[in-house]
């Protein structure tokens, strides 16, 4: 067996045996398969795809390349959710405490923002004092005592994924379903879960632009997870426009608290509840989904989600007073409006443009080493469907630097489309893949 | 412009501008484009192909990455031939002196054998004393004084090709028409030619297994050569079975001399004459091909090709007495028959198996650093269509090591197919792409 033969077989549309995939992945990690062979192999996979068997093997091999979290000492059913990344996406921050308030144990391993998408860890770290780096035994303790934890990934988890992802990122093989599946699930399987809810974003601001490709990814994710013994459900959620009204780290935490208080934008509330309910339902699959949704809604409306959130913030070293006083979160020095040039209806808000505007302000990063400004972001005041007059504000840019704020204002202006008729607003949750 | 963007564009079936191809090729050579990016790019090219414009640009960029031979001081029309590689293929050794005897100047830059295919330089170096490494000024002098030279490629010619080929060789992107065209033509264009004859082999022992892919390659080669100002003709020649009866370095030189003496296998004589005649015709395209074929045939039959060959051997330091006494060439210590298990007709001789048997004996190399044994090889005594009795010899294995000879005999035995009816013998030269 040689790397050459394995590349050739995949190039010529062959199906690879588990031992062949292991040869490539483990060899790449140990250095016996060169990076230039791995990158050629990944490009061949991009064009030829992988069967379900291959995807399952790849995921298992990537999982077994590193350590796993042992949550067996924690009672209860451990359920996580994973999002493929969006703009204004604070659903994890709401769904996790709501599900935990319903008795689900939520050991959530999250990531940082890159490009136009935000990252849950960046958002959380805008809370003064809050930490996301904990050793395994601390994570187990947090889940046991608080019911949830949101932490960064240990470097010892799925090292094959880290090395492969870095290579894919510079060789244009990110957008490939079996490789995405292997990358997501190898890490999730390492977290000792009993079930998983997948939030596959679709639209301009998402990885998957159209519903068909989102469905393909969602189906392959759930099928592979189940083959590896992890019950999973995928929700396709709309990311054509940003979620809610706040885009930016501290601003999204503030919106999270609003929703957990029973207010906030309806799309954020409803999508968070749908995800929390799926987590609850997966934890007790004998019950019906409507009952799970009812339980999640009550947990939110009775303030039990907010209680768990406050305990979680405190347990991870954060200032829990932010729950009662959002003014304790960092704020930006500049707040400038973006106004409508004409009268009409907000027909579209391009999530990709808004995401890049937010990154331009400093809320996100273009490379993994960029620093992030917790205070800055975009505040949408005229969401989809709003009727506006000429000169009326559509959004406010919150910035800390004049030049960056000006650049962001221009991008935000381009993101808004003002039309003559009242538009039909797309459903945030068009499809569930059970 | 970044390597990532260029890989992405090609991956998504875009057409690359000359500046983008230059960025990749020159960057790869200088080290600013990583080898893992180049290998991913080459795999994307494998799947997406290249337009004629892209192929032309790629070839020019590879050519301009290195030095060219300046043959302007040599009078006459300079014509070379190039073969895509076969088994028993000694056509260069015959066509070059015959064309030179007709007044064509032949500055032939050749290669070494790899895998199952033989190499012209390896064959020539079986002649005691003969050298193939000459500096540019010596090559110019040889072509001027002898009318021909067959030499190795200077490392300063097309360094981009050398580095790209080495990468393709270990990442399974050799079999890709535009990359093959760039590799062949960048080196040929650097030799200061006026015209080029391309011998595209087709069949089991060839790079191109079927006539359609050989035709595709031949057409792209001639079209690209012409766009770059080099008149070219491609001959598709059959490589389902080995050419002639001798496979192995010194054994093929001996067969070359036989043919130049007016004897030898008819397929070798006719194909060599066809190539020599195309070279003569390209050198004087106003005349007609039949006249060129007549001139080449007379040069061979009157022994003028042999005279040039003897002068060429001597000029390159070889012992020209081999022309009169093939016994001066190295011979193997073992000669063992491979016999037919049954009576019938020789229906097929698998060129690939014969090539690998010859390499197993030591006549070829599996990696570029392997040494080559000049004496060993396969002698076919029952060519295609021969009627044989059970136990009658089909071929003899010439070896210098018992174990290797035994392994080669088994492979040679497998290469022969004995059938009941007299087979139709395929034409050696099915198609000419003018």
């Amino acid at each position: 067996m040689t790397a050459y033969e394995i590349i050739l077989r995949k190039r010529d549309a062959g199906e690879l045996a588990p031992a062949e995939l292991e040869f490539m992945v483990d060899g790449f990690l140990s250095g016996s398969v060169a990076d230039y062979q791995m990158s050629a192999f990944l490009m061949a996979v991009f064009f030829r795809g992988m069967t379900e068997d291959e995807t399952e093997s790849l995921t298992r091999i990537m999982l077994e390349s590193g350590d796993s979290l042992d949550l067996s000492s924690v009672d209860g059913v451990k359920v996580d959710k994973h999002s493929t990344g969006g703009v204004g996406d604070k659903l994890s921050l709401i769904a996790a405490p709501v599900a935990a308030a319903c008795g689900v144990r939520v050991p959530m391993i999250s990531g940082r923002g890159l490009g136009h998408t935000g990252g849950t860890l960046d958002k959380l770290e805008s809370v003064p004092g809050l930490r996301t780096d904990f050793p395994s035994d601390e994570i187990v303790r947090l889940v046991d005592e608080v019911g949830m934890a949101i932490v960064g990934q240990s470097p010892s988890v799925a090292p094959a994924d880290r090395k492969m992802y870095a290579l894919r990122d510079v060789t244009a093989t990110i957008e490939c379903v079996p490789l995405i599946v292997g990358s997501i699930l190898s890490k999730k399987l390492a977290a000792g879960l009993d079930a998983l809810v997948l939030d596959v974003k679709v639209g301009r601001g998402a990885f998957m632009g159209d519903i068909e490709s989102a469905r393909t990814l969602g189906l392959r994710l759930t099928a592979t997870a189940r083959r590896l013994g992890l019950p999973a459900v995928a929700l396709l959620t709309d990311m054509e426009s940003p979620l809610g009204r706040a885009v930016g780290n501290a601003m999204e935490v503030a919106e999270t608290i609003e929703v957990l208080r029973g207010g906030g934008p309806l799309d954020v509330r409803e999508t968070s509840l749908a995800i929390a309910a799926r987590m609850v339902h997966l934890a007790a699959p004998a019950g019906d989904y409507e009952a799970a949704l009812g339980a999640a809604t009550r947990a939110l409306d009775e303030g039990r989600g907010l209680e768990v959130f406050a305990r979680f913030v405190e347990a991870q070293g954060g200032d829990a007073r932010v729950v009662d006083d959002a003014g304790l979160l960092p704020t930006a020095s500049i707040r400038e409006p973006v106004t409508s040039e004409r009268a009409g209806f907000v027909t579209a808000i391009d999530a990709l443009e808004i995401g890049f505007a937010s990154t331009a302000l400093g809320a996100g990063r273009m490379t993994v080493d960029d620093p992030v400004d917790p205070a800055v972001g975009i505040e949408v005041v005229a969401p989809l469907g709003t009727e506006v007059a000429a000169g009326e504000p559509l959004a406010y840019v919150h910035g800390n630097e004049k030049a960056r704020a000006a650049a962001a204002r221009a991008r935000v202006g381009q993101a808004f489309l003002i039309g003559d008729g009242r538009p039909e607003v797309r459903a945030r949750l068009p499809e569930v893949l059970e």
Side-chain angles (χ1 to χ4, degrees), chain A residues 98 102 269-270 273-274 276-277 280 290-305:
Chain A
V98 169
C102 297
R269 173 187 163 92
E270 288 188 344
L273 281 175
V280 172
E290 293 307 321
L293 181 59
T297 306
R298 281 191 304 279
L300 182 103
D301 288 340
E302 294 167 5
R304 286 182 281 122

mmCIF file with all atom_site columns, all heavy atoms in Angstrom, chain A residues 98 102 269-270 273-274 276-277 280 290-305:
data_model
loop_
_atom_site.group_PDB
_atom_site.id
_atom_site.type_symbol
_atom_site.label_atom_id
_atom_site.label_alt_id
_atom_site.label_comp_id
_atom_site.label_asym_id
_atom_site.label_entity_id
_atom_site.label_seq_id
_atom_site.pdbx_PDB_ins_code
_atom_site.Cartn_x
_atom_site.Cartn_y
_atom_site.Cartn_z
_atom_site.occupancy
_atom_site.B_iso_or_equiv
_atom_site.pdbx_formal_charge
_atom_site.auth_seq_id
_atom_site.auth_comp_id
_atom_site.auth_asym_id
_atom_site.auth_atom_id
_atom_site.pdbx_PDB_model_num
ATOM 1   N N   . VAL A 1 98  ? -31.468 26.461 28.031 1.00 0.00 ? 98  VAL A N   1
ATOM 2   C CA  . VAL A 1 98  ? -32.878 26.048 28.049 1.00 0.00 ? 98  VAL A CA  1
ATOM 3   C C   . VAL A 1 98  ? -32.970 24.520 28.106 1.00 0.00 ? 98  VAL A C   1
ATOM 4   O O   . VAL A 1 98  ? -33.730 23.953 28.904 1.00 0.00 ? 98  VAL A O   1
ATOM 5   C CB  . VAL A 1 98  ? -33.640 26.620 26.826 1.00 0.00 ? 98  VAL A CB  1
ATOM 6   C CG1 . VAL A 1 98  ? -35.015 25.977 26.692 1.00 0.00 ? 98  VAL A CG1 1
ATOM 7   C CG2 . VAL A 1 98  ? -33.767 28.144 26.937 1.00 0.00 ? 98  VAL A CG2 1
ATOM 8   N N   . CYS A 1 102 ? -34.185 21.839 31.190 1.00 0.00 ? 102 CYS A N   1
ATOM 9   C CA  . CYS A 1 102 ? -35.140 20.731 31.034 1.00 0.00 ? 102 CYS A CA  1
ATOM 10  C C   . CYS A 1 102 ? -34.514 19.406 31.458 1.00 0.00 ? 102 CYS A C   1
ATOM 11  O O   . CYS A 1 102 ? -35.087 18.334 31.218 1.00 0.00 ? 102 CYS A O   1
ATOM 12  C CB  . CYS A 1 102 ? -35.620 20.632 29.597 1.00 0.00 ? 102 CYS A CB  1
ATOM 13  S SG  . CYS A 1 102 ? -36.518 22.082 29.030 1.00 0.00 ? 102 CYS A SG  1
ATOM 14  N N   . ARG A 1 269 ? -35.827 33.648 19.160 1.00 0.00 ? 269 ARG A N   1
ATOM 15  C CA  . ARG A 1 269 ? -36.569 32.871 20.157 1.00 0.00 ? 269 ARG A CA  1
ATOM 16  C C   . ARG A 1 269 ? -37.064 31.557 19.576 1.00 0.00 ? 269 ARG A C   1
ATOM 17  O O   . ARG A 1 269 ? -36.831 30.496 20.139 1.00 0.00 ? 269 ARG A O   1
ATOM 18  C CB  . ARG A 1 269 ? -37.754 33.703 20.658 1.00 0.00 ? 269 ARG A CB  1
ATOM 19  C CG  . ARG A 1 269 ? -38.703 32.946 21.586 1.00 0.00 ? 269 ARG A CG  1
ATOM 20  C CD  . ARG A 1 269 ? -39.955 33.757 21.918 1.00 0.00 ? 269 ARG A CD  1
ATOM 21  N NE  . ARG A 1 269 ? -41.021 32.905 22.446 1.00 0.00 ? 269 ARG A NE  1
ATOM 22  C CZ  . ARG A 1 269 ? -41.209 32.674 23.752 1.00 0.00 ? 269 ARG A CZ  1
ATOM 23  N NH1 . ARG A 1 269 ? -40.411 33.206 24.638 1.00 0.00 ? 269 ARG A NH1 1
ATOM 24  N NH2 . ARG A 1 269 ? -42.186 31.879 24.149 1.00 0.00 ? 269 ARG A NH2 1
ATOM 25  N N   . GLU A 1 270 ? -37.706 31.625 18.425 1.00 0.00 ? 270 GLU A N   1
ATOM 26  C CA  . GLU A 1 270 ? -38.346 30.415 17.884 1.00 0.00 ? 270 GLU A CA  1
ATOM 27  C C   . GLU A 1 270 ? -37.310 29.383 17.442 1.00 0.00 ? 270 GLU A C   1
ATOM 28  O O   . GLU A 1 270 ? -37.487 28.183 17.652 1.00 0.00 ? 270 GLU A O   1
ATOM 29  C CB  . GLU A 1 270 ? -39.273 30.789 16.726 1.00 0.00 ? 270 GLU A CB  1
ATOM 30  C CG  . GLU A 1 270 ? -40.506 31.505 17.275 1.00 0.00 ? 270 GLU A CG  1
ATOM 31  C CD  . GLU A 1 270 ? -41.574 31.744 16.229 1.00 0.00 ? 270 GLU A CD  1
ATOM 32  O OE1 . GLU A 1 270 ? -41.250 31.630 15.023 1.00 0.00 ? 270 GLU A OE1 1
ATOM 33  O OE2 . GLU A 1 270 ? -42.721 32.039 16.625 1.00 0.00 ? 270 GLU A OE2 1
ATOM 34  N N   . LEU A 1 273 ? -35.690 27.806 20.509 1.00 0.00 ? 273 LEU A N   1
ATOM 35  C CA  . LEU A 1 273 ? -36.606 26.857 21.140 1.00 0.00 ? 273 LEU A CA  1
ATOM 36  C C   . LEU A 1 273 ? -36.691 25.559 20.330 1.00 0.00 ? 273 LEU A C   1
ATOM 37  O O   . LEU A 1 273 ? -36.748 24.470 20.908 1.00 0.00 ? 273 LEU A O   1
ATOM 38  C CB  . LEU A 1 273 ? -38.001 27.477 21.298 1.00 0.00 ? 273 LEU A CB  1
ATOM 39  C CG  . LEU A 1 273 ? -38.133 28.440 22.486 1.00 0.00 ? 273 LEU A CG  1
ATOM 40  C CD1 . LEU A 1 273 ? -39.512 29.099 22.478 1.00 0.00 ? 273 LEU A CD1 1
ATOM 41  C CD2 . LEU A 1 273 ? -37.908 27.688 23.815 1.00 0.00 ? 273 LEU A CD2 1
ATOM 42  N N   . ALA A 1 274 ? -36.691 25.689 19.009 1.00 0.00 ? 274 ALA A N   1
ATOM 43  C CA  . ALA A 1 274 ? -36.754 24.484 18.163 1.00 0.00 ? 274 ALA A CA  1
ATOM 44  C C   . ALA A 1 274 ? -35.519 23.617 18.417 1.00 0.00 ? 274 ALA A C   1
ATOM 45  O O   . ALA A 1 274 ? -35.610 22.384 18.510 1.00 0.00 ? 274 ALA A O   1
ATOM 46  C CB  . ALA A 1 274 ? -36.840 24.877 16.685 1.00 0.00 ? 274 ALA A CB  1
ATOM 47  N N   . ALA A 1 276 ? -33.497 23.681 21.160 1.00 0.00 ? 276 ALA A N   1
ATOM 48  C CA  . ALA A 1 276 ? -33.557 23.162 22.526 1.00 0.00 ? 276 ALA A CA  1
ATOM 49  C C   . ALA A 1 276 ? -34.537 21.992 22.609 1.00 0.00 ? 276 ALA A C   1
ATOM 50  O O   . ALA A 1 276 ? -34.252 20.970 23.240 1.00 0.00 ? 276 ALA A O   1
ATOM 51  C CB  . ALA A 1 276 ? -33.965 24.277 23.490 1.00 0.00 ? 276 ALA A CB  1
ATOM 52  N N   . ALA A 1 277 ? -35.686 22.146 21.942 1.00 0.00 ? 277 ALA A N   1
ATOM 53  C CA  . ALA A 1 277 ? -36.702 21.094 21.972 1.00 0.00 ? 277 ALA A CA  1
ATOM 54  C C   . ALA A 1 277 ? -36.187 19.811 21.319 1.00 0.00 ? 277 ALA A C   1
ATOM 55  O O   . ALA A 1 277 ? -36.455 18.700 21.795 1.00 0.00 ? 277 ALA A O   1
ATOM 56  C CB  . ALA A 1 277 ? -37.973 21.567 21.277 1.00 0.00 ? 277 ALA A CB  1
ATOM 57  N N   . VAL A 1 280 ? -33.988 18.164 23.838 1.00 0.00 ? 280 VAL A N   1
ATOM 58  C CA  . VAL A 1 280 ? -34.809 17.532 24.869 1.00 0.00 ? 280 VAL A CA  1
ATOM 59  C C   . VAL A 1 280 ? -35.430 16.251 24.324 1.00 0.00 ? 280 VAL A C   1
ATOM 60  O O   . VAL A 1 280 ? -35.422 15.198 24.982 1.00 0.00 ? 280 VAL A O   1
ATOM 61  C CB  . VAL A 1 280 ? -35.905 18.511 25.358 1.00 0.00 ? 280 VAL A CB  1
ATOM 62  C CG1 . VAL A 1 280 ? -36.895 17.808 26.291 1.00 0.00 ? 280 VAL A CG1 1
ATOM 63  C CG2 . VAL A 1 280 ? -35.267 19.725 26.040 1.00 0.00 ? 280 VAL A CG2 1
ATOM 64  N N   . GLU A 1 290 ? -43.764 17.516 20.335 1.00 0.00 ? 290 GLU A N   1
ATOM 65  C CA  . GLU A 1 290 ? -44.565 18.652 20.802 1.00 0.00 ? 290 GLU A CA  1
ATOM 66  C C   . GLU A 1 290 ? -44.425 18.839 22.313 1.00 0.00 ? 290 GLU A C   1
ATOM 67  O O   . GLU A 1 290 ? -44.355 19.972 22.808 1.00 0.00 ? 290 GLU A O   1
ATOM 68  C CB  . GLU A 1 290 ? -46.037 18.479 20.410 1.00 0.00 ? 290 GLU A CB  1
ATOM 69  C CG  . GLU A 1 290 ? -46.299 18.547 18.897 1.00 0.00 ? 290 GLU A CG  1
ATOM 70  C CD  . GLU A 1 290 ? -45.718 19.812 18.245 1.00 0.00 ? 290 GLU A CD  1
ATOM 71  O OE1 . GLU A 1 290 ? -45.784 20.905 18.857 1.00 0.00 ? 290 GLU A OE1 1
ATOM 72  O OE2 . GLU A 1 290 ? -45.168 19.686 17.121 1.00 0.00 ? 290 GLU A OE2 1
ATOM 73  N N   . ALA A 1 291 ? -44.362 17.720 23.021 1.00 0.00 ? 291 ALA A N   1
ATOM 74  C CA  . ALA A 1 291 ? -44.182 17.790 24.478 1.00 0.00 ? 291 ALA A CA  1
ATOM 75  C C   . ALA A 1 291 ? -42.824 18.392 24.807 1.00 0.00 ? 291 ALA A C   1
ATOM 76  O O   . ALA A 1 291 ? -42.694 19.220 25.730 1.00 0.00 ? 291 ALA A O   1
ATOM 77  C CB  . ALA A 1 291 ? -44.297 16.397 25.083 1.00 0.00 ? 291 ALA A CB  1
ATOM 78  N N   . ALA A 1 292 ? -41.810 18.011 24.042 1.00 0.00 ? 292 ALA A N   1
ATOM 79  C CA  . ALA A 1 292 ? -40.462 18.539 24.263 1.00 0.00 ? 292 ALA A CA  1
ATOM 80  C C   . ALA A 1 292 ? -40.442 20.042 24.006 1.00 0.00 ? 292 ALA A C   1
ATOM 81  O O   . ALA A 1 292 ? -39.831 20.813 24.753 1.00 0.00 ? 292 ALA A O   1
ATOM 82  C CB  . ALA A 1 292 ? -39.456 17.824 23.349 1.00 0.00 ? 292 ALA A CB  1
ATOM 83  N N   . LEU A 1 293 ? -41.147 20.464 22.943 1.00 0.00 ? 293 LEU A N   1
ATOM 84  C CA  . LEU A 1 293 ? -41.201 21.900 22.625 1.00 0.00 ? 293 LEU A CA  1
ATOM 85  C C   . LEU A 1 293 ? -41.923 22.654 23.737 1.00 0.00 ? 293 LEU A C   1
ATOM 86  O O   . LEU A 1 293 ? -41.511 23.762 24.132 1.00 0.00 ? 293 LEU A O   1
ATOM 87  C CB  . LEU A 1 293 ? -41.906 22.107 21.272 1.00 0.00 ? 293 LEU A CB  1
ATOM 88  C CG  . LEU A 1 293 ? -42.011 23.548 20.783 1.00 0.00 ? 293 LEU A CG  1
ATOM 89  C CD1 . LEU A 1 293 ? -40.624 24.191 20.637 1.00 0.00 ? 293 LEU A CD1 1
ATOM 90  C CD2 . LEU A 1 293 ? -42.765 23.618 19.449 1.00 0.00 ? 293 LEU A CD2 1
ATOM 91  N N   . GLY A 1 294 ? -42.953 22.038 24.259 1.00 0.00 ? 294 GLY A N   1
ATOM 92  C CA  . GLY A 1 294 ? -43.687 22.650 25.361 1.00 0.00 ? 294 GLY A CA  1
ATOM 93  C C   . GLY A 1 294 ? -42.799 22.816 26.588 1.00 0.00 ? 294 GLY A C   1
ATOM 94  O O   . GLY A 1 294 ? -42.770 23.888 27.215 1.00 0.00 ? 294 GLY A O   1
ATOM 95  N N   . ALA A 1 295 ? -42.020 21.785 26.894 1.00 0.00 ? 295 ALA A N   1
ATOM 96  C CA  . ALA A 1 295 ? -41.138 21.837 28.060 1.00 0.00 ? 295 ALA A CA  1
ATOM 97  C C   . ALA A 1 295 ? -40.085 22.923 27.885 1.00 0.00 ? 295 ALA A C   1
ATOM 98  O O   . ALA A 1 295 ? -39.789 23.684 28.819 1.00 0.00 ? 295 ALA A O   1
ATOM 99  C CB  . ALA A 1 295 ? -40.469 20.471 28.261 1.00 0.00 ? 295 ALA A CB  1
ATOM 100 N N   . ALA A 1 296 ? -39.526 23.009 26.678 1.00 0.00 ? 296 ALA A N   1
ATOM 101 C CA  . ALA A 1 296 ? -38.488 24.019 26.413 1.00 0.00 ? 296 ALA A CA  1
ATOM 102 C C   . ALA A 1 296 ? -39.080 25.419 26.531 1.00 0.00 ? 296 ALA A C   1
ATOM 103 O O   . ALA A 1 296 ? -38.469 26.320 27.130 1.00 0.00 ? 296 ALA A O   1
ATOM 104 C CB  . ALA A 1 296 ? -37.871 23.792 25.026 1.00 0.00 ? 296 ALA A CB  1
ATOM 105 N N   . THR A 1 297 ? -40.283 25.596 25.987 1.00 0.00 ? 297 THR A N   1
ATOM 106 C CA  . THR A 1 297 ? -40.924 26.910 26.015 1.00 0.00 ? 297 THR A CA  1
ATOM 107 C C   . THR A 1 297 ? -41.210 27.341 27.451 1.00 0.00 ? 297 THR A C   1
ATOM 108 O O   . THR A 1 297 ? -40.959 28.492 27.834 1.00 0.00 ? 297 THR A O   1
ATOM 109 C CB  . THR A 1 297 ? -42.233 26.870 25.187 1.00 0.00 ? 297 THR A CB  1
ATOM 110 O OG1 . THR A 1 297 ? -41.920 26.368 23.875 1.00 0.00 ? 297 THR A OG1 1
ATOM 111 C CG2 . THR A 1 297 ? -42.845 28.254 25.043 1.00 0.00 ? 297 THR A CG2 1
ATOM 112 N N   . ARG A 1 298 ? -41.690 26.400 28.248 1.00 0.00 ? 298 ARG A N   1
ATOM 113 C CA  . ARG A 1 298 ? -41.955 26.721 29.658 1.00 0.00 ? 298 ARG A CA  1
ATOM 114 C C   . ARG A 1 298 ? -40.655 27.063 30.397 1.00 0.00 ? 298 ARG A C   1
ATOM 115 O O   . ARG A 1 298 ? -40.613 28.025 31.161 1.00 0.00 ? 298 ARG A O   1
ATOM 116 C CB  . ARG A 1 298 ? -42.667 25.556 30.349 1.00 0.00 ? 298 ARG A CB  1
ATOM 117 C CG  . ARG A 1 298 ? -44.159 25.487 30.049 1.00 0.00 ? 298 ARG A CG  1
ATOM 118 C CD  . ARG A 1 298 ? -44.878 24.489 30.965 1.00 0.00 ? 298 ARG A CD  1
ATOM 119 N NE  . ARG A 1 298 ? -44.289 23.144 30.904 1.00 0.00 ? 298 ARG A NE  1
ATOM 120 C CZ  . ARG A 1 298 ? -44.553 22.256 29.935 1.00 0.00 ? 298 ARG A CZ  1
ATOM 121 N NH1 . ARG A 1 298 ? -45.390 22.547 28.955 1.00 0.00 ? 298 ARG A NH1 1
ATOM 122 N NH2 . ARG A 1 298 ? -43.995 21.062 29.974 1.00 0.00 ? 298 ARG A NH2 1
ATOM 123 N N   . ALA A 1 299 ? -39.597 26.294 30.120 1.00 0.00 ? 299 ALA A N   1
ATOM 124 C CA  . ALA A 1 299 ? -38.314 26.562 30.792 1.00 0.00 ? 299 ALA A CA  1
ATOM 125 C C   . ALA A 1 299 ? -37.839 27.974 30.463 1.00 0.00 ? 299 ALA A C   1
ATOM 126 O O   . ALA A 1 299 ? -37.321 28.691 31.334 1.00 0.00 ? 299 ALA A O   1
ATOM 127 C CB  . ALA A 1 299 ? -37.265 25.541 30.366 1.00 0.00 ? 299 ALA A CB  1
ATOM 128 N N   . LEU A 1 300 ? -38.056 28.394 29.230 1.00 0.00 ? 300 LEU A N   1
ATOM 129 C CA  . LEU A 1 300 ? -37.646 29.742 28.831 1.00 0.00 ? 300 LEU A CA  1
ATOM 130 C C   . LEU A 1 300 ? -38.546 30.776 29.498 1.00 0.00 ? 300 LEU A C   1
ATOM 131 O O   . LEU A 1 300 ? -38.064 31.725 30.135 1.00 0.00 ? 300 LEU A O   1
ATOM 132 C CB  . LEU A 1 300 ? -37.704 29.880 27.303 1.00 0.00 ? 300 LEU A CB  1
ATOM 133 C CG  . LEU A 1 300 ? -37.234 31.247 26.793 1.00 0.00 ? 300 LEU A CG  1
ATOM 134 C CD1 . LEU A 1 300 ? -35.819 31.138 26.233 1.00 0.00 ? 300 LEU A CD1 1
ATOM 135 C CD2 . LEU A 1 300 ? -38.164 31.807 25.738 1.00 0.00 ? 300 LEU A CD2 1
ATOM 136 N N   . ASP A 1 301 ? -39.856 30.568 29.359 1.00 0.00 ? 301 ASP A N   1
ATOM 137 C CA  . ASP A 1 301 ? -40.809 31.579 29.828 1.00 0.00 ? 301 ASP A CA  1
ATOM 138 C C   . ASP A 1 301 ? -40.818 31.710 31.349 1.00 0.00 ? 301 ASP A C   1
ATOM 139 O O   . ASP A 1 301 ? -41.124 32.777 31.883 1.00 0.00 ? 301 ASP A O   1
ATOM 140 C CB  . ASP A 1 301 ? -42.214 31.279 29.289 1.00 0.00 ? 301 ASP A CB  1
ATOM 141 C CG  . ASP A 1 301 ? -42.313 31.575 27.801 1.00 0.00 ? 301 ASP A CG  1
ATOM 142 O OD1 . ASP A 1 301 ? -41.462 32.342 27.294 1.00 0.00 ? 301 ASP A OD1 1
ATOM 143 O OD2 . ASP A 1 301 ? -43.211 31.036 27.124 1.00 0.00 ? 301 ASP A OD2 1
ATOM 144 N N   . GLU A 1 302 ? -40.472 30.641 32.035 1.00 0.00 ? 302 GLU A N   1
ATOM 145 C CA  . GLU A 1 302 ? -40.437 30.699 33.500 1.00 0.00 ? 302 GLU A CA  1
ATOM 146 C C   . GLU A 1 302 ? -39.085 31.180 34.016 1.00 0.00 ? 302 GLU A C   1
ATOM 147 O O   . GLU A 1 302 ? -38.837 31.164 35.228 1.00 0.00 ? 302 GLU A O   1
ATOM 148 C CB  . GLU A 1 302 ? -40.784 29.329 34.081 1.00 0.00 ? 302 GLU A CB  1
ATOM 149 C CG  . GLU A 1 302 ? -42.237 28.928 33.779 1.00 0.00 ? 302 GLU A CG  1
ATOM 150 C CD  . GLU A 1 302 ? -42.537 27.456 34.067 1.00 0.00 ? 302 GLU A CD  1
ATOM 151 O OE1 . GLU A 1 302 ? -41.630 26.746 34.592 1.00 0.00 ? 302 GLU A OE1 1
ATOM 152 O OE2 . GLU A 1 302 ? -43.653 27.028 33.743 1.00 0.00 ? 302 GLU A OE2 1
ATOM 153 N N   . GLY A 1 303 ? -38.176 31.532 33.100 1.00 0.00 ? 303 GLY A N   1
ATOM 154 C CA  . GLY A 1 303 ? -36.888 32.088 33.513 1.00 0.00 ? 303 GLY A CA  1
ATOM 155 C C   . GLY A 1 303 ? -35.884 31.057 33.981 1.00 0.00 ? 303 GLY A C   1
ATOM 156 O O   . GLY A 1 303 ? -34.804 31.407 34.468 1.00 0.00 ? 303 GLY A O   1
ATOM 157 N N   . ARG A 1 304 ? -36.188 29.751 33.794 1.00 0.00 ? 304 ARG A N   1
ATOM 158 C CA  . ARG A 1 304 ? -35.254 28.732 34.250 1.00 0.00 ? 304 ARG A CA  1
ATOM 159 C C   . ARG A 1 304 ? -34.032 28.643 33.330 1.00 0.00 ? 304 ARG A C   1
ATOM 160 O O   . ARG A 1 304 ? -32.932 28.310 33.771 1.00 0.00 ? 304 ARG A O   1
ATOM 161 C CB  . ARG A 1 304 ? -35.956 27.384 34.388 1.00 0.00 ? 304 ARG A CB  1
ATOM 162 C CG  . ARG A 1 304 ? -36.869 27.364 35.637 1.00 0.00 ? 304 ARG A CG  1
ATOM 163 C CD  . ARG A 1 304 ? -37.546 26.028 35.824 1.00 0.00 ? 304 ARG A CD  1
ATOM 164 N NE  . ARG A 1 304 ? -38.689 25.869 34.933 1.00 0.00 ? 304 ARG A NE  1
ATOM 165 C CZ  . ARG A 1 304 ? -38.832 24.883 34.037 1.00 0.00 ? 304 ARG A CZ  1
ATOM 166 N NH1 . ARG A 1 304 ? -37.910 23.954 33.927 1.00 0.00 ? 304 ARG A NH1 1
ATOM 167 N NH2 . ARG A 1 304 ? -39.904 24.830 33.268 1.00 0.00 ? 304 ARG A NH2 1
ATOM 168 N N   . GLY A 1 305 ? -34.237 28.967 32.054 1.00 0.00 ? 305 GLY A N   1
ATOM 169 C CA  . GLY A 1 305 ? -33.096 29.015 31.127 1.00 0.00 ? 305 GLY A CA  1
ATOM 170 C C   . GLY A 1 305 ? -32.125 30.109 31.548 1.00 0.00 ? 305 GLY A C   1
ATOM 171 O O   . GLY A 1 305 ? -30.901 29.906 31.546 1.00 0.00 ? 305 GLY A O   1
#
